[in-house]
Amino acid sequence: MRSTRDFLTGIITGVVIGILTAPRSGKETREKLTEEANKRSGDLKDQWEKGVAQVKDGYEQAKTQVGQYADKAKDQYEQLKGQAQDAYDKERVKSQYNDKVDELANKTESGIEDARDSFKVN
């Protein structure tokens, strides 16, 4: 940005020196200075407006991309959440199944012990 400013300053300085050293009357010089100043300010205004438009376009593009990335991240989150929930549910069911098997095994063992005790004759 500094090099652009220095370049513009150099151009303006050169134009002003050229106009001031030209063999014209004071009125012609003032008119020429006014004309050049208006022309240069118009050019700068056009460049400013182009720069603003480019920044706005860049902002809109970035905003769109961020929205797309956010949507993609949300989709991936939902997918991973579903997979994690499925895995958790499977582990919970497996744990409940194993607990039930252990409970039935203990009841069976207790029933066998009771049956043995009932067949023992004193």
Side-chain angles (χ1 to χ4, degrees), residues 53-108:
Q54 286 177 344
V55 168
K56 285 181 179 179
D57 289 344
Y59 169 75
E60 289 300 323
Q61 287 177 351
K63 186 176 160 182
T64 300
Q65 278 188 327
V66 166
Q68 289 172 349
Y69 290 141
D71 290 343
K72 187 175 181 180
K74 184 178 177 181
D75 291 344
Q76 287 179 344
Y77 166 77
E78 292 297 331
Q79 182 182 8
L80 292 173
K81 179 182 169 187
Q83 290 174 353
Q85 186 66 43
D86 289 346
Y88 171 75
D89 290 343
K90 286 178 185 176
E91 285 301 315
R92 189 169 48 107
V93 167
K94 184 178 176 182
S95 176
Q96 289 174 349
Y97 173 79
N98 287 336
D99 290 346
K100 194 65 163 173
V101 168
D102 289 343
E103 179 185 334
L104 290 173
N106 289 338
K107 285 183 179 180
T108 302

Side-chain angles (χ1 to χ4, degrees), residues 46-59:
D46 290 343
Q47 288 179 351
W48 175 260
E49 288 172 356
K50 286 179 185 176
V52 168
Q54 286 177 344
V55 168
K56 285 181 179 179
D57 289 344
Y59 169 75

